[in-house]
Amino acid sequence: MDINIQPPEKEPERQFYFMELAAKLREEFEAKKGGRATYHVTTFGCQMNARDSEKLAGILERIGFIEDQSEESADFVIFNTCTVRDNADQRLYGRLGHLKGEKYRNPNRIIALCGCMMQEESAVEKIKKSYPYVNIIFGTHNIYKLAELICIQGLHTGENTGTGNAFPTTAGIYGCGMVIDILRGTDEVVEDIPSVRKYPFKSGVNIMFGCNNFCSYCIVPYVRGRERSRKPKEIIREIERLAADGVVEIMLLGQNVNSYGKGLEEEVSFAELLKEAEKVEGIKRIRFMTSHPKDLSDELIEVMSSSEKICRHIHLPLQSGSSRILKMMNRHYTKESFIELALKIREKIPDIAITTDIIIGFPTETKEDVNDTLEVIDRVGFDGAFTFIYSKRANTPAAIMEGQVPPEESRRQFDRVLTAVQESSRKRAAERTGRTEEVLVEEMSDHDPDFVSGRLSSNLVVHFKGEKELIGSIVRVRLDECRGFYYIGERVI
Ligand code: SAM
Ligand code: SF4
């Protein structure tokens, strides 16, 4: 490749140009090191981040890096960050502090940070000041640009010679080699970037990016930008390619999949997209995440109930059972309408598992509000729940609300909610005892070397005796013994 040729303007061609150029930098690095250049991606947060990390790994492998299981020894370490709650921020700072010593032991190591936390100006300022050994910082809107940023970083540190000129770029260069490229927003959806799947037989598929809901506690709309749906054709093309590559289970990903399709030239509903996805041969299971209760349509329930492929699981975040708190949260449903919706889903799709998210300690929340949450848990009978203590996020409306709840009170109420959801999940899981159900086998079990583990359509984990050849296939398993949140079963042939 002639690197004096200007890089293409158009994406993703531009990025493939930089992947090739970055490969040359990697070769120079390997000659100096006397061995292969390695990478490690650490992911914080949700499924969206996990999917983005597969793309980061895809780009790095295309450049020629090989994976290192250890963050400490890899030559290129990248943290894909989360900032939904403060403890995610603190975990990143802890890891960066720990890597400081390693960085001085191996000064050629590159540390890159990307994802939601990097969209916050205050976080980037803190990193510039307290962790100056970080080399590359980018955000949520330009994950696809990793190769370009590696080139800019490599070409400006003076470590790598012989590869030439600098390129016109939007990125800023700070201090000695810190490259920072954060976009405040974008309409662009760059497709067809290489990716490395964690599991060969299942994959996430982004159907939309960003969020327009502005729940008053949540930072996601500020760091992930406005809601943008991918075109149905592009999504189906990706699913077809995955199926051809051996994928049997897909998870359609979006912050609120129920509002999929709004703003597209030809508006398409999420239920219609599901129907198209179902037609893809080779795909045996379809999951999706997350469903906002305010937008869940009868059409979707209908499509789910008559589908052979859509899994019997819906994640339906409640957040709070108190209508007063829900109003303050800007969630646009009430305790009663949530219960009604959940019971309707149960009636139309009898074996469905309903899981949820609950926040405890939102400003002004009282014991009585928590009693409402407990009542919803009791009436709906959740199959699982993620419970979170409210975390104040800068610049969100809830952060400046009066009546912030003291941590010890939140903790007390949290324990009540946790006990209730655990009891509910155990009870729901136990109801399946003795049934024979299909399991997608995912990995060798960590309980016993002779066992494999997999998931039911409801997402419950099952361990049973089996060989590694079963991984990736769907088999029938009798659910013998419920151990709280998972089963021990036996394969039925
Ligand atoms: N878009 C999804 C939805 O509306 O349900 C969820 C996205 S968010 C990454 C995942 C969960 O984090 C939310 O459902 C909520 O329960 C929790 N969460 C978001 N902001 C929070 C905050 N400030 N404090 C505590 N939990 C929070
Ligand atoms: Fe956050 Fe609400 Fe958007 Fe979910 S729907 S990402 S909780 S603002």
Side-chain angles (χ1 to χ4, degrees):
M1 184 183 64
D2 179 357
I3 53 127
N4 290 313
I5 293 175
Q6 284 296 309
E9 294 270 313
K10 213 168 141 248
E11 300 291 4
E13 291 77 3
R14 182 178 171 86
Q15 294 315 312
F16 282 98
Y17 170 94
F18 282 111
M19 285 178 228
E20 246 185 86
L21 183 55
K24 289 188 194 301
L25 297 175
R26 181 213 19 100
E27 279 166 18
E28 288 173 14
F29 174 84
E30 287 181 345
K32 268 195 265 167
K33 180 187 173 187
R36 294 292 305 268
T38 61
Y39 78 94
H40 182 89
V41 182
T42 298
T43 311
F44 296 102
C46 63
Q47 257 99 354
M48 295 267 194
N49 267 16
R51 180 69 189 128
D52 283 346
S53 289
E54 292 184 343
K55 292 181 186 159
L56 296 168
I59 295 169
L60 290 167
E61 295 206 359
R62 177 65 73 101
I63 293 171
F65 286 91
I66 53 168
E67 192 182 9
D68 186 331
Q69 294 302 328
S70 155
E71 194 172 284
E72 264 121 61
S73 55
D75 301 308
F76 191 100
V77 188
I78 181 158
F79 292 94
N80 189 3
T81 63
C82 169
T83 188
V84 169
R85 287 168 290 277
D86 183 58
N87 53 8
D89 290 12
Q90 297 315 322
R91 274 169 65 208
L92 177 76
Y93 293 133
R95 301 285 266 278
L96 285 180
H98 177 72
L99 281 185
K100 186 175 180 182
E102 300 294 331
K103 177 83 185 181
Y104 290 120
R105 260 193 291 282
N106 175 7
N108 289 325
R109 163 206 294 271
I110 305 277
I111 301 178
L113 309 177
C114 64
C116 293
M117 193 175 156
M118 299 307 120
Q119 293 292 138
E120 282 191 281
E121 229 170 288
S122 56
V124 174
E125 283 310 312
K126 177 164 175 169
I127 288 157
K128 271 161 53 182
K129 213 162 112 213
S130 310
Y131 306 92
Y133 45 90
V134 167
N135 303 88
I136 300 176
I137 299 182
F138 55 120
T140 52
H141 302 297
N142 48 2
I143 289 280
Y144 65 89
K145 263 178 88 177
L146 174 60
E148 183 169 348
L149 299 174
I150 290 175
C151 291
I152 296 163
Q153 204 277 332
L155 295 168
H156 282 78
T157 50
E159 282 293 323
N160 303 286
T161 50
T163 334
N165 60 350
F167 301 97
T169 173
T170 51
I173 318 284
Y174 290 82
C176 50
M178 195 187 275
V179 173
I180 304 185
D181 190 6
I182 313 277
L183 300 178
R184 287 290 146 224
T186 183
D187 290 332
E188 203 173 17
V189 177
V190 177
E191 314 267 354
D192 298 333
I193 291 291
S195 91
V196 174
R197 291 196 305 278
K198 191 170 167 217
Y199 296 96
F201 51 87
K202 69 171 185 176
S203 177
V205 176
N206 293 114
I207 63 165
M208 59 207 294
F209 301 94
C211 181
N212 283 355
N213 289 303
F214 289 95
C215 301
S216 63
Y217 50 81
C218 184
I219 202 163
V220 170
Y222 306 92
V223 295
R224 286 260 172 193
R226 293 292 63 70
E227 189 179 281
R228 312 172 294 288
S229 292
R230 282 177 73 194
K231 295 193 186 93
K233 259 204 203 115
E234 303 285 353
I235 297 170
I236 299 301
R237 205 159 61 101
E238 181 175 340
I239 299 172
E240 283 168 349
R241 271 203 306 259
L242 289 168
D245 201 26
V247 167
V248 294
E249 180 178 298
I250 50 164
M251 176 170 301
L252 306 180
L253 297 169
Q255 293 298 350
N256 175 12
V257 291
N258 296 330
S259 67
Y260 171 78
K262 286 188 191 143
L264 283 176
E265 250 169 57
E266 234 177 280
E267 285 211 355
V268 182
S269 71
F270 178 55
E272 282 161 347
L273 178 72
L274 277 175
K275 280 203 252 177
E276 287 307 305
E278 271 207 283
K279 291 184 196 152
V280 178
E281 238 172 88
I283 296 297
K284 298 193 176 126
R285 282 182 164 186
I286 303 174
R287 300 185 182 277
F288 56 85
M289 192 157 211
T290 298
S291 270
H292 195 307
K294 80 178 162 68
D295 298 313
L296 198 145
S297 66
D298 286 347
E299 187 196 11
L300 175 62
I301 300 177
E302 185 53 45
V303 169
M304 286 185 80
S305 71
S306 55
S307 169
E308 292 282 316
K309 292 186 178 178
I310 303 172
C311 287
R312 293 318 196 221
H313 174 214
I314 190 158
H315 188 67
L316 196 62
L318 168 67
Q319 312 300 4
S320 168
S322 153
S323 298
R324 183 182 74 84
I325 296 287
L326 285 169
K327 190 150 199 263
M328 290 175 74
M329 286 178 162
N330 195 30
R331 290 289 289 180
H332 297 280
Y333 54 86
T334 61
K335 169 184 170 187
E336 290 73 24
S337 67
F338 185 95
I339 295 175
E340 198 183 311
L341 175 65
L343 296 184
K344 180 160 77 182
I345 297 171
R346 284 221 189 282
E347 186 200 324
K348 304 268 185 202
I349 318 168
D351 53 350
I352 196 152
I354 304 181
T355 56
T356 199
D357 292 344
I358 297 173
I359 298 176
I360 297 110
F362 185 84
T364 77
E365 189 177 60
T366 61
K367 200 172 161 207
E368 284 65 41
D369 293 313
V370 176
N371 287 345
D372 282 337
T373 303
L374 295 175
E375 192 187 326
V376 180
I377 296 168
D378 185 49
R379 295 276 304 278
V380 174
F382 290 113
D383 296 77
F386 295 109
T387 43
F388 307 109
I389 289 189
Y390 166 73
S391 171
K392 193 174 181 176
R393 305 319 285 137
N395 304 321
T396 58
I400 46 166
M401 284 179 186
E402 283 181 11
Q404 300 283 327
V405 178
E408 55 291 358
E409 178 56 14
S410 295
R411 192 76 234 172
R412 241 192 315 273
Q413 299 306 329
F414 178 87
D415 289 343
R416 291 174 72 207
V417 173
L418 186 65
T419 307
V421 290
Q422 284 181 342
E423 203 178 296
S424 165
S425 325
R426 269 201 206 97
K427 196 165 143 233
R428 289 282 305 166
E431 285 169 14
R432 292 175 191 267
T433 308
R435 283 167 59 164
T436 297
E437 293 195 32
E438 287 189 338
V439 173
L440 171 60
V441 185
E442 295 196 336
E443 54 206 353
M444 294 309 294
S445 165
D446 47 14
H447 284 232
D448 186 318
D450 292 333
F451 276 51
V452 288
S453 65
R455 282 175 194 272
L456 301 179
S457 173
S458 75
N459 214 31
L460 255 186
V461 172
V462 183
H463 303 272
F464 64 98
K465 201 162 186 193
E467 316 72 47
K468 78 168 186 314
E469 286 66 34
L470 289 177
I471 294 174
S473 55
I474 294 180
V475 296
R476 293 176 63 72
V477 176
R478 197 183 54 239
L479 306 174
D480 290 332
E481 191 191 336
C482 182
R483 297 206 181 152
F485 308 115
Y486 65 90
Y487 266 95
I488 303 294
E490 191 177 321
R491 187 173 174 200
V492 177
I493 299 182

